[in-house]
Amino acid sequence: MKLYAAPLDFRSIAREFDVRTGFAPELHADAAQLEDRFAGSRIDARSVPLVTIDPAGSMDLDQAVHIERRAGGGFVVRYAIADVAAFVAPGSGVAKESLERGQTIYLPDEPARLHPEELSEGSASLLPEVDRPAVLWTFELDDSGEVDAAHVERALVRSVARLDYEGVHADMQADTVHPSIALLEEVGRLRQQSSLRRQAVNLRLPSVRVVGDGDTFELVIEPRHPVMDYNSEISLLTGMVAGRMMVDAGVGFLRTLGPADTAGEAEFRREARNLGYPAEEVSADIGEFLASVDADTPRGMAVMREAQKLLRGSGYVDLSAGEPEVHAGIGGYYSHVTAPLRRLIDRYATEVCLAICAGTEVPEWVKRDAPRVIKTMGRSSQLANTVEKASLHLTEATVLKPWVGHNFDGVTLKTGEDAARVFIVDPPVLAPSTGAPEEGVETKFSLVRADPTAREVGFAWPAD
C-alpha cells in the first residue's frame, strides 16, 4: 500500500530526549590520536581469514568470524571482537564521554554514537585489509555444536572481506558463500538446536523502515534473512560462554532478563491465536512456537512484537555485588561482550574474561567503574527503547496522517470495555481502536487519528 506523507524528520525526538548525536571538537581530535596500548603483547592471528557480516554500508564493525572443521570432528570458531579498551585509556576524555553515553542510540536518520567516528568507524573498527587489534575468542565445538573448549586473548587480526547480509543471503542461495563462513549455516542451525537455546524466547524482530522518493512513502518490513540468525548465534555463543565463565569465577557482569509470568504467557497465547496461529502451535512451548514463526510476514512481525512483553525486568548484574541471574531470552547465563564499539559494558566485561583466561587479576579500573557502568547501562538502555518506540510511532503517524477517514483491514488482538488493541495488516501497525469487535475476527477499521506531534494513531470500529 502506497502512503503519501511529508518527509520524515527525527530531530524533534533527539531534542526531546536529549540524544547527543555529535561530539565536542576536542574529543574528535583526541579520538584521532588514540593508539593501541597493548601493541607489544598480542598474538599474531593475521593468517586467519576473518570476515565481517553487517548491514550494508556499516563502518562500525565490531565482529569478524572464521569457521573451519576440527580434525577428528566438530568445528573451530574464531570470533574477533574490536579491542576498544586498547584505545580508550581509563580516565581519558573519550572514556569519560562513553561513561556518560552508555551506548549508541539509533535514530532512523542518524546514530548518536558511543564513541567518535574516528575510533568507531576508523582505528578500532575491523575494516577489511588492514591490521587491527582485537580480542580473539576461539571455540571448539563438537559435532552437535556444543562447546568443548573456549579461550580468549588479545590478538592482531586482519579481516579479508566486509560482507553484508543481503550479499551473503544471495551467496547462500547461489551456493557461492565465502570460504570463511561456508560452515556458518551448519553451525548456526546446530546452535539453534542447542539444549539451552531450544526453549529460549528468541525474538527475531524484523525492522520496519520507510521507503520512498520524497512524495510517496511506504512502511516496509525488512526481510530477516536466515544468515542474520546464524550470525547472531555466534554472538550468542560468545555471550553465553562469557557468562558461564564469569559465574564460575564469581566475577564479571551478566545481562539479565526475567521470564514471563503465567498471566503474561496466557495473554500472549491468546493474542497469537487471534492473529491466526493454530491453537495447537500456540499451546506448545513458547520458545519453540516463536522459532517456527515467519517474522518477515506482517503477522509474524506482530507476534514477535507482542512477545516482547513476555520478557521484562532486563538489566545487568555485577557479580561482585549480586547473585547470578539467567537471561530468559537466551536460556542461561549471558554477558554482553561482542559489541564494544556500540555498548559500554562490553569493554568492561571483555576485560574480565581476558583476566579469567590469563589467570590474572581483573584491572582496577574495571572494578572502580563497575557501579557507574551498571547505572549508565540501565539509563541508556531505557533511553534507547524510548527513542526506538518514539521513532516508530512518529513514522506511523506521519505516513498515515493523509489517510485519516480511510478504512484498513485488521484483526482484533484484545477487546476491553468499548476499546480494543488491533493489528492493521497493511501497513503493519499495532494501535488502539474504539469499539469492541470480537477478538480474532478480521474486519475493517477506520483511521480516525494520526497525530505526528503526539506520535499517536487511532482507529474506530465499526468502520464507516
Side-chain angles (χ1 to χ4, degrees):
M1 177 179 213
K2 297 289 185 181
L3 303 171
Y4 300 86
L8 287 154
D9 181 5
F10 297 91
R11 294 302 87 202
S12 62
I13 293 175
R15 289 190 296 270
E16 178 180 346
F17 298 107
D18 192 25
V19 177
R20 293 177 288 179
T21 56
F23 291 88
E26 57 269 24
L27 284 176
H28 283 292
D30 288 349
Q33 300 299 316
L34 296 176
E35 296 182 348
D36 180 10
R37 300 187 295 131
F38 305 110
S41 58
R42 298 181 180 278
I43 66 165
D44 188 343
R46 288 175 291 180
S47 62
V48 180
L50 297 154
V51 299
T52 60
I53 315 173
D54 292 272
S58 296
M59 294 291 289
D60 53 341
L61 310 181
D62 282 294
Q63 313 108 9
V65 63
H66 175 266
I67 307 175
E68 63 183 356
R69 293 202 184 277
R70 184 175 62 172
F75 310 87
V76 177
V77 178
R78 294 182 177 87
Y79 203 42
I81 307 299
D83 192 354
V84 178
F87 295 94
V88 183
S92 66
V94 174
K96 292 176 181 177
E97 183 70 12
S98 68
L99 279 165
E100 289 290 330
R101 296 191 177 217
Q103 60 188 285
T104 297
I105 305 293
Y106 288 97
L107 290 155
D109 55 352
E110 182 182 6
R113 297 178 179 87
L114 174 62
H115 305 102
E117 51 265 44
E118 291 84 358
L119 182 69
S120 61
E121 298 186 357
S123 56
S125 178
L126 301 183
L127 297 167
E129 302 301 341
V130 289
D131 294 350
R132 284 290 186 260
V135 174
L136 183 63
W137 288 85
T138 301
F139 305 102
E140 293 192 30
L141 309 182
D142 64 20
D143 288 326
S144 62
E146 301 294 343
V147 180
D148 279 340
H151 184 73
V152 61
E153 58 196 328
R154 285 196 152 93
L156 187 66
V157 303
R158 188 179 181 91
S159 167
V160 299
R162 181 176 65 154
L163 309 178
D164 61 72
Y165 290 117
E166 290 288 341
V168 175
H169 176 70
D171 289 343
M172 285 184 168
Q173 299 293 99
D175 198 23
T176 57
V177 178
H178 192 286
S180 294
I181 54 169
L183 297 172
L184 178 61
E185 179 176 1
E186 184 176 352
V187 171
R189 288 184 180 276
L190 288 172
R191 291 301 305 167
Q192 288 173 338
Q193 297 162 10
S194 167
S195 57
L196 285 177
R197 297 286 297 129
R198 275 197 301 271
Q199 295 184 341
V201 180
N202 183 20
L203 301 181
R204 294 169 292 112
L205 286 165
S207 297
V208 178
R209 65 185 175 96
V210 179
V211 296
D213 57 11
D215 296 312
T216 304
F217 291 85
E218 192 175 4
L219 279 177
V220 175
I221 301 175
E222 284 191 323
R224 186 172 178 87
H225 298 308
V227 63
M228 297 178 180
D229 294 326
Y230 304 148
N231 197 42
S232 291
E233 287 298 331
I234 306 302
S235 181
L236 293 171
L237 163 67
T238 309
M240 293 172 75
V241 169
R244 183 74 260 177
M245 184 184 295
M246 292 174 179
V247 170
D248 289 345
V251 62
F253 306 91
L254 296 183
R255 175 61 166 166
T256 63
L257 192 60
D261 57 25
T262 303
E265 284 195 11
E267 181 176 348
F268 170 74
R269 294 182 195 277
R270 183 176 71 179
E271 291 180 347
R273 288 193 296 270
N274 290 339
L275 281 166
Y277 288 94
E280 60 272 17
E281 294 181 12
V282 175
S283 61
D285 176 83
I286 288 178
E288 293 181 359
F289 164 63
L290 289 173
S292 71
V293 169
D294 181 357
D296 290 342
T297 65
R299 291 174 191 274
M301 181 213 73
V303 83
M304 287 293 175
R305 283 176 59 181
E306 293 302 278
Q308 285 181 292
K309 296 184 293 186
L310 290 170
L311 303 174
R312 300 185 179 185
S314 62
Y316 293 91
V317 169
D318 176 4
L319 290 175
S320 67
E323 294 298 317
E325 297 179 28
V326 301
H327 189 297
I330 302 298
Y333 296 122
Y334 186 67
S335 181
H336 274 156
V337 292
T338 62
L341 290 174
R342 291 169 279 174
R343 214 165 36 215
L344 172 68
I345 201 165
D346 298 52
R347 183 165 88 234
Y348 286 80
T350 293
E351 291 303 310
V352 174
C353 293
L354 286 166
I356 292 171
C357 276
T360 59
E361 286 293 317
V362 174
E364 282 301 318
W365 60 269
V366 174
K367 299 176 184 178
R368 180 195 67 224
D369 291 350
R372 186 175 179 187
V373 170
I374 295 292
K375 183 177 180 180
T376 298
M377 288 307 303
R379 174 179 52 78
S380 62
S381 294
Q382 185 176 30
L383 175 61
N385 290 334
T386 299
V387 168
E388 180 182 11
K389 290 178 181 177
S391 298
L392 176 60
H393 293 160
L394 173 60
T395 300
E396 293 171 343
T398 302
V399 298
L400 283 171
K401 183 177 180 180
W403 291 80
V404 170
H406 287 73
N407 293 338
F408 293 79
D409 292 324
V411 60
T412 309
L413 300 182
K414 185 178 180 180
T415 297
E417 187 174 338
D418 199 35
R421 177 172 168 79
V422 302
F423 172 62
I424 303 302
V425 177
D426 187 15
V429 174
L430 291 162
S433 173
T434 59
E438 185 179 350
E439 290 185 2
V441 173
E442 296 187 19
T443 184
K444 290 189 178 294
F445 297 87
S446 290
L447 177 65
V448 295
R449 185 175 187 233
D451 184 345
T453 302
R455 298 192 288 269
E456 294 177 351
V457 300
F459 292 82
W461 180 88
D464 293 335

